[in-house]
Amino acid sequence: MPTPPVVVHSRHYECDIGPHVFPVLKYGLVLRRLIDEGAIVASNVLEPEMPSQETLALVHTPGYLEDLEQLRHGPRTWVSELPLTREIVTAYALAAGGTTLAARSALELGTAVHLGGGFHHAFADHAEGFCYVNDLAIAIRVAQREGLIRRAAVVDLDVHQGNGTADIFQGDESVFTLSIHQEANYPVPKARSDLDVGLDDGVSDAEYLDVLDRVLERVWAARPELVLYQAGADPYRDDQLGGLSLTVDGLEARDRRVLDGCAQRGIPSVVTLGGGYARRVEDTVEIHTRTARIAIGRSAGKEARA
Ligand SMILES: [Zn+2]
């Protein structure tokens, strides 16, 4: 019997961050779209659990976790471009639980979608950008600690470099980090991923997909047992924080390259949403929805293992 597609979501992701370029509403809007069009049913949406402090400490330093716990402003938290409130810290910690849950599901069923996460600017010891907790790194560390996998890869296709993730896994041969991003954009300076591709401004679909095809070969060569896909919607040509020129169709083709590539090789894959700041929020929702649909199509077609 085909298994229901695994989608992870929490309404707590729509936390109050004040007037902000980050549209937290997108999480609920993507979920609504998927339910309305019949891609998923509401009862099959999984709720993440809050990770323990011990789990968060697999990636983050005690001092930083204490700052988050105490909502303490200081050098480890003030680089964040978000307010520091209990509600927001809870939402970010919960998102780490969400990516971890999606990773467990993907290891069982092949693919899972987290309608959240991808907070790749969070470092082990400090916040950055719109990121407090690095959900990608935590999911990998949990899966490794439980002996579910040895090697993993992060395919980060957000328009901004995944500097926190790159730094966390720097020198760790068990995790291959790829980031394709716009070179002349945040963050400055950049961290070092195992493979960084810094694109020129204005790169369009054909050029992007050509680069992607070539560099994905390096990901497959690393023989990951799990791929975490940061499917940022911000390489879109009408993004307020991006300077690339991909179309909605180009981004869908990008997603297929990654997710089909994983499926063809039998590598479990997890989608996380990452950034997306299109002038029209509907565009961001459309891009994320298409990404989710591709992954859902994959997991729905997979037979359950007894
Ligand atoms: Zn971004």
Side-chain angles (χ1 to χ4, degrees):
M1 218 181 120
T3 54
V6 172
V7 171
V8 178
H9 170 83
S10 169
R11 63 186 166 77
H12 297 293
Y13 297 163
E14 285 177 47
C15 52
D16 180 8
I17 61 173
H20 204 285
V21 68
F22 186 172
V24 292
L25 285 174
K26 73 181 186 179
Y27 300 119
L29 292 171
V30 174
L31 179 70
R32 193 74 255 159
R33 277 276 300 276
L34 293 169
I35 292 171
D36 287 350
E37 69 189 23
I40 55 172
V41 289
S43 57
N44 283 339
V45 177
L46 302 183
E47 280 273 338
E49 282 178 18
M50 184 61 89
S52 66
Q53 287 293 308
E54 187 203 354
T55 299
L56 296 173
L58 291 171
V59 169
H60 294 291
T61 60
Y64 177 47
L65 290 176
E66 210 179 290
D67 284 356
L68 292 181
E69 183 62 30
Q70 306 292 327
L71 305 178
R72 198 156 51 204
H73 291 275
R76 294 182 283 242
T77 51
W78 65 37
V79 198
S80 149
E81 296 173 57
L82 288 170
L84 183 58
T85 66
R86 177 72 55 210
E87 185 193 5
I88 294 171
V89 169
T90 298
Y92 277 77
L94 198 55
T99 300
T100 303
L101 175 58
R104 286 185 206 284
S105 305
L107 287 166
E108 217 174 297
L109 303 168
T111 310
V113 187
H114 181 200
L115 299 180
F119 298 120
H120 58 167
H121 301 309
F123 285 70
D125 64 353
H126 69 275
E128 248 194 63
F130 310 148
C131 305
Y132 279 117
V133 176
N134 197 309
D135 56 296
L136 302 158
I138 287 172
I140 290 172
R141 288 300 186 223
V142 169
Q144 287 181 323
R145 182 188 58 179
E146 294 181 5
L148 302 174
I149 56 162
R150 283 161 297 163
R151 292 181 309 280
V154 179
V155 173
D156 188 331
L157 303 186
D158 194 277
V159 80
H160 305 103
Q161 193 214 26
N163 57 342
T165 314
D167 189 74
I168 288 165
F169 293 119
Q170 177 87 143
D172 181 341
E173 291 188 357
S174 71
V175 181
F176 185 85
T177 53
L178 162 68
S179 179
I180 303 180
H181 47 265
Q182 182 192 6
E183 187 64 26
N185 201 329
Y186 171 88
V188 180
K190 296 189 171 34
R192 264 186 76 176
S193 313
D194 289 305
L195 181 54
D196 282 301
V197 182
L199 299 171
D200 291 337
D201 297 358
V203 160
S204 59
D205 292 345
E207 200 180 335
Y208 188 97
L209 295 172
D210 186 51
V211 168
L212 179 60
D213 281 339
R214 280 187 283 120
V215 301
L216 279 177
E217 292 304 323
R218 292 275 304 276
V219 175
W220 315 136
R223 296 185 299 118
E225 294 156 307
L226 176 68
V227 165
L228 279 119
Y229 177 29
Q230 206 277 20
D234 47 15
Y236 179 49
R237 62 182 175 188
D238 202 28
D239 194 275
Q240 300 171 81
L241 302 184
L244 299 182
S245 297
L246 273 72
T247 64
V248 174
D249 288 340
L251 287 159
E252 182 176 351
R254 171 199 72 164
D255 298 336
R256 287 194 188 282
R257 300 287 212 279
V258 177
L259 296 172
D260 288 354
C262 287
Q264 283 158 10
R265 291 164 182 80
I267 306 168
S269 57
V270 176
V271 169
T272 62
L273 298 190
Y277 317 94
R279 256 167 273 278
R280 297 171 64 246
V281 74
E282 302 92 304
D283 290 349
T284 297
V285 170
E286 172 70 20
I287 294 163
H288 286 321
T289 302
R290 289 194 189 196
T291 310
R293 257 189 231 139
I294 295 167
I296 288 165
R298 294 247 155 267
S299 63
K302 184 106 181 173
E303 297 291 304
R305 277 184 226 157

